[in-house]
Amino acid sequence: MEQKFFNIDPRIEALAKDAEKVCAEAFARTEEIAEYNSRKVLAAFIHNGVSESHFAGSTGYGYDDRGRDTIEAVMAEICGAEDSLMRHNFVSGTHTLTTALFGVLRPGDVMLSITGMPYDTIQPVIGINGDPGCGSLKDWGVEYRQVDLLPDGTPDFDAIAEAVKDPRIKVAYVQRSRGYSLRPSINMEVMEKLVKTVKENNPKAIFMVDNCYGIFTEKVEPTQLGADMVIGSLIKNAGGGIARTGGYIAGRRDLIELCSYRLTTPAQGKEVGCTLDELKNMFLGLFLAPNTVCSAVKTAIFAAALFGGLGFAVNPPHTELRTDIIQSIELGSPEGMIAFCKGVQAGAPVDSFVTPMPSDMPGYDDPVIMAAGAFHLGASIELSADGPIREPYAVWMQGGLTYYTGKMGMMLAAQTMLDDGVLKL
Ligand SMILES: *Cc1c(COP(=O)(O)O)cnc(C)c1O
């Protein structure tokens, strides 16, 4: 006889069945993208002759590390880029982005964000909301400017075309994923238009993309559309749930070299940086990443259909084409957010017995609640939900190493909301 394993209200079971039915078309599209990207990754492994000897890793300075050079060539090929830096030495996505920004910007240069205010943890790096003297770009004499998004959350192409003309603009910065905002993410159709607008008006400006949460959700990456650099984290999409830490930067060879001087030292650059025991995890994670991202995107689509069906505002809706793994759900109250996160945590494979509570986080202005029961601390390619406790009391959920466990997590979130009286059926 089959067992149930979890106590889910029959009404939620029925709603989940309905939700899954309306997702069929979106699921098929997602799986088709995953198949394409799996072939892309497989081909890059084969072209670069990946071999077991590449998993050996190095110690000390890491001179002549063939595995490291090979994974960076593989990543470059996947992104359609000249070169890449893919290292466990990057401590987070924020650190990887910081390395990219400090790598290419110099005193007197201007960084122009063309998709509004960047992600919370990047703001103090730029010198917005940070302590003066902490070594931000601003402290080093790099000016920051921003083109706000239009009221509907889309890029303001006319204003971008005007703002980018200033020859002092060194970097035009785009954040692909919405982060903790409710604007639409920048899909590759919009990305291509942004590249065109920038290049037509200032061919010298470096087009830099915060690609966190984005890679492998569509068939092309921004670098294949003319972006000069893409940057992301290995405990998000590109690590496939296997890489234990790290980040990547892919793009133009001269820019990757500058970033490597910032990560290590001028002149030594890419030639140093030992890989310890991380290479096999990074290769395996990258190999699995298109499939893992598929599970995460399907979990997000399912969540949109389930919670949309329950009457909550969801962004994006289950029918929309995805360009990241993020799903926001407006729960309307702090209690709703807390119950949702409690349910997600209760369905985690690791630390399921923990109760998440709102608390202050470095780099964030408001208290943040986070549900994450992950194999790798803070990995948000694993099922996780979080959000700052502020209007409109939205949670951003992402991840799911497998669709089946991701789906269960979403059903437990709904169940906990029902149990806690913040969901009426
Ligand atoms: C996660 C994220 C970051 C920062 O990455 P961390 O690994 O959390 O430091 C930056 N930008 C976006 C859009 C992100 O989603």
Side-chain angles (χ1 to χ4, degrees), residues 26-171:
F27 280 6
R29 196 165 53 200
T30 305
E31 284 158 10
E32 204 252 318
I33 291 167
E35 180 164 10
Y36 179 91
N37 284 328
S38 296
R39 289 184 189 188
K40 183 198 271 188
V41 169
L42 178 61
F45 271 59
I46 293 168
H47 290 160
N48 289 283
V50 174
S51 145
E52 191 179 15
S53 64
H54 292 145
F55 306 155
S58 59
T59 59
Y61 299 127
Y63 292 138
D64 301 317
D65 187 321
R66 290 170 55 245
R68 183 190 67 210
D69 294 348
T70 302
I71 202 167
E72 291 184 336
V74 169
M75 189 56 166
E77 182 171 333
I78 288 167
C79 294
E82 290 174 358
D83 202 358
S84 90
L85 266 178
M86 182 152 166
R87 305 268 168 139
H88 79 275
N89 311 87
F90 289 118
V91 305
S92 65
T94 304
H95 180 219
T96 317
L97 285 155
T98 301
T99 305
L101 287 166
F102 276 92
V104 304
L105 286 159
R106 296 292 176 268
D109 287 342
V110 178
M111 166 188 177
L112 177 72
S113 170
I114 61 174
T115 48
M117 182 59 84
Y119 190 79
D120 294 53
T121 59
I122 308 303
Q123 294 170 22
V125 175
I126 295 168
I128 310 165
N129 297 333
D131 297 331
C134 69
S136 65
L137 288 167
K138 188 177 175 185
D139 283 347
W140 284 100
V142 175
E143 191 185 320
Y144 173 75
R145 295 180 199 162
Q146 175 176 313
V147 178
D148 287 328
L149 297 163
L150 293 169
D152 67 355
T154 61
D156 185 344
F157 284 94
D158 293 337
I160 292 167
E162 230 5 81
V164 82
K165 279 184 184 139
D166 184 337
R168 278 182 59 216
I169 288 173
K170 179 73 139 310
V171 166

Side-chain angles (χ1 to χ4, degrees), residues 92-94 97 119 121-122 175 177 210 212-213 233 236:
S92 65
T94 304
L97 285 155
Y119 190 79
T121 59
I122 308 303
Q175 183 181 305
S177 179
D210 173 353
C212 282
Y213 287 135
S233 161
K236 294 181 179 173

